[in-house]
Amino acid sequence: MTTPELTFAVLVLLLTPGPTNSLVLLAGAERGVAGAARLIPVELAGYFLTVLPLALAGTTVLADHHGLRTGLTLAAGAWVAALAVRLWRMPGTGGAAASVGARALFVTTALNPKALIFGLVLLPSPDRLAANLALFAALVALVALVWGGIGAVLRKGAGQPRAIFVLRRLASVWLAAISVVLIARGVGA
């Protein structure tokens, strides 16, 4: 895969709404772009925890341990479901607490199903792995700024406490839907 092809494939996948992007959007709505940007190292660490081992040896490990992929999918589904419940239960318009912490973003990103695609399909390359990982890191940062920026714009577009409450509820419903899909995939595997 050429560098432009890889860039396009990674960007399309990273920009797709999912659990990590939902949390970064909420961080942008709650803290602004600068607050969301402070979480970029956490997101990178979460992705690299999964992507790096998979890019180095994932195909071999998953071929030898068929249940591992199913277990990862079920774990991701359960975690995303727990996040959905947590976001739903957060205080209403009077609650000013931030709903997106570093721990939640790290675990969500490490369990993100996209990481499997990055680590097993898009990034592995015997002669270009380091360059691919550097490109991936830059694109993760760029996309995090985009999602954080969207959240910041949404925050300014409406009364802040109510807008954040609505965003939390929407993110909760979206995450619940993603968790159902993940759990169904894990059970069906």
Side-chain angles (χ1 to χ4, degrees), residues 116-142:
L116 294 173
I117 297 167
F118 294 130
L120 294 172
V121 178
L122 295 176
L123 299 176
S125 172
D127 56 335
R128 293 191 34 84
L129 183 59
N132 288 354
L133 291 172
L135 174 65
F136 175 70
L139 294 174
V140 166
L142 174 68

Side-chain angles (χ1 to χ4, degrees), residues 29 151-164 166-167:
V153 167
L154 290 174
R155 171 187 182 173
K156 291 180 182 178
Q160 181 189 359
R162 182 73 182 153
I164 290 174
V166 170
L167 281 174

Side-chain angles (χ1 to χ4, degrees), residues 45-95:
Y47 268 126
F48 279 122
L49 178 71
T50 302
V51 168
L52 195 53
L54 289 175
L56 293 171
T59 305
T60 305
V61 171
L62 289 177
D64 293 343
H65 301 86
H66 300 292
L68 188 57
R69 186 182 303 240
T70 300
L72 287 172
T73 302
L74 289 172
W79 173 259
V80 172
L83 273 176
V85 169
R86 188 176 135 246
L87 285 176
W88 188 267
R89 289 183 176 170
M90 290 214 59
T93 56

Side-chain angles (χ1 to χ4, degrees), residues 27-53:
E30 293 172 348
R31 305 175 192 154
V33 177
R38 285 189 209 101
L39 292 172
I40 290 172
V42 174
E43 183 178 350
L44 284 169
Y47 268 126
F48 279 122
L49 178 71
T50 302
V51 168
L52 195 53

